[in-house]
């Protein structure tokens, strides 16, 4: 895969946009952006958690530190296609993402404890330790249609736009397709700004002028709050 990064440290700001807000924003953003190397894709993420959803329950309470484990692909993979095992951590607003590449069939076996990958260095050791201390299994698959851009004047500034965010809790394999129930209202778009430091002045001023402000938004968190709490806990948040 071209220019594949396996480790990230950055700020990520999310904005849930109505169709109207998105159209107004895009008119002004378009001249400043260009498609990145992975411009269009269907992002598929298989989230792993405890049986009592301990990881996402902790995450939605907005602690100083949180972490999650997921299996991610860009478009629906075949069993031998490369996917990413990702350990994503957030501490005091900074996102750290660590990942290793494996064929889809091996990645799922690895996370199930039935396969040991070849020596993968420090990142694999971190994932191994997470698996040793967290008895997780696949819980939810979330897919979305993504368009990704970089700023023409600053390639470190990256913006993604996710639409048709959908989820399911059956057929929990990346290879089983990207179908699922819609998670957002019709027309809504999730914009994410990814950058190593503060946003440039032009972007901050544009967002302020259009009354667009960041909000905490997790796809898995939204899915849990809207669909899983009531089903599994009778509408009551269970604290471990």
């Amino acid at each position: 895969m071209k220019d594949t990064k396996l480790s990230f440290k950055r700020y990520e700001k999310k904005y849930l946009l109505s169709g109207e807000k998105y159209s107004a924003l895009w008119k002004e953003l378009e001249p400043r952006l260009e498609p990145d190397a992975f411009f269009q894709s269907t992002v598929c993420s298989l989230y792993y958690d405890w049986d009592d959803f301990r990881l996402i329950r902790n995450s939605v309470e907005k602690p100083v530190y949180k972490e999650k484990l997921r299996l991610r692909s860009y478009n629906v993979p075949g069993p031998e296609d490369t996917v990413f095992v990702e350990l994503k951590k957030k501490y005091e607003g900074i996102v750290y993402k660590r990942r290793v590449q494996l064929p889809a069939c091996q990645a799922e076996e690895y996370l199930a404890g039935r396969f040991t990958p070849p020596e993968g260095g420090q990142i694999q050791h971190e994932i191994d330790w997470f698996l040793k201390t967290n008895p997780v299994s696949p819980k939810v698959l979330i897919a979305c249609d993504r368009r990704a851009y970089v700023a023409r004047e600053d390639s470190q500034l990256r913006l993604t736009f996710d639409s048709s965010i959908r989820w399911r809790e059956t057929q929990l394999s990346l290879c089983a397709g990207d179908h699922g129930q819609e998670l957002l209202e019709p027309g809504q778009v999730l914009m994410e700004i990814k950058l190593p430091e503060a946003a440039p002045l032009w972007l901050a001023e544009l967002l302020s002028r259009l009354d667009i402000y960041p909000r905490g938004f997790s796809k898995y968190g939204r899915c849990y709050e809207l669909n899983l709490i009531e089903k599994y806990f009778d509408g009551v948040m269970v604290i471990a």
Side-chain angles (χ1 to χ4, degrees):
M1 300 180 71
K2 46 191 175 183
D3 300 324
T4 300
K5 291 185 66 175
L6 299 179
S7 181
F8 300 81
K9 176 185 176 182
R10 64 195 181 194
Y11 291 94
E12 298 180 353
K13 299 293 185 181
K14 298 178 181 179
Y15 304 77
L16 187 58
L17 308 174
S18 66
E20 182 180 0
K21 285 283 188 181
Y22 169 72
S23 296
L25 177 61
W26 182 247
K27 287 179 182 178
E28 303 207 37
L29 277 181
E30 186 175 15
R32 292 181 173 270
L33 304 179
E34 60 185 24
D36 82 352
F38 303 94
F39 169 50
Q40 285 188 308
S41 62
T42 296
V43 181
C44 302
S45 300
L46 181 57
Y47 289 89
Y48 284 69
D49 210 331
W50 294 57
D51 286 344
D52 63 2
F53 295 92
R54 186 170 305 183
L55 297 177
I56 194 58
R57 286 195 287 112
N58 177 66
S59 179
V60 299
E61 292 170 0
K62 304 187 186 304
V64 173
Y65 173 82
K66 58 185 178 181
E67 59 187 351
K68 65 182 68 171
L69 180 73
R70 67 190 180 198
L71 197 54
R72 169 163 286 191
S73 67
Y74 296 87
N75 300 313
V76 177
E80 301 303 321
D81 291 333
T82 298
V83 301
F84 297 97
V85 180
E86 294 187 346
L87 185 59
K88 188 174 183 180
K89 308 177 183 182
K90 189 173 184 179
Y91 178 67
E92 293 188 338
I94 302 176
V95 173
Y96 302 84
K97 188 162 70 172
R98 315 274 279 165
R99 61 189 190 180
V100 296
Q101 302 178 83
L102 287 170
C105 57
Q106 291 183 6
E108 293 184 3
E109 291 293 290
Y110 168 43
L111 295 183
R114 297 189 293 265
F115 172 75
T116 301
E119 174 59 41
Q122 178 59 31
I123 295 177
Q124 185 178 315
H125 290 322
E126 291 178 27
I127 296 172
D128 287 344
W129 177 252
F130 181 92
L131 293 172
K132 183 178 180 180
T133 55
N134 291 273
V136 296
S137 58
K139 297 301 179 189
V140 171
L141 188 142
I142 296 179
C144 65
D145 299 327
R146 171 169 293 180
R147 292 183 298 118
Y149 299 86
V150 294
R152 294 183 185 277
E153 298 179 0
D154 181 3
S155 61
Q156 294 192 82
L157 173 58
R158 186 167 182 259
L159 289 85
T160 60
F161 299 88
D162 294 344
S163 58
S164 187
I165 300 174
R166 49 212 185 265
W167 74 281
R168 68 175 188 262
E169 56 176 331
T170 59
Q171 295 182 284
L172 293 178
S173 168
L174 293 178
C175 300
D178 61 4
H179 57 283
Q181 302 175 53
E182 292 291 331
L183 191 59
L184 300 182
E185 297 296 324
Q188 283 185 315
V189 174
L190 181 64
M191 177 178 72
E192 192 166 348
I193 298 175
K194 309 176 184 187
L195 65 173
E197 50 190 22
L201 184 59
W202 67 265
L203 180 55
E205 290 179 339
L206 171 59
L207 296 175
S208 178
R209 177 160 50 83
L210 295 177
D211 293 322
I212 295 174
Y213 303 102
R215 58 173 295 176
F217 187 96
S218 160
K219 297 183 185 75
Y220 181 28
R222 171 63 69 91
C223 177
Y224 172 74
E225 291 176 320
L226 293 182
N227 302 288
L228 302 178
I229 291 179
E230 185 173 357
K231 178 175 180 178
Y232 290 100
F233 306 118
D234 295 324
V236 177
M237 180 76 77
V238 176
I239 305 299

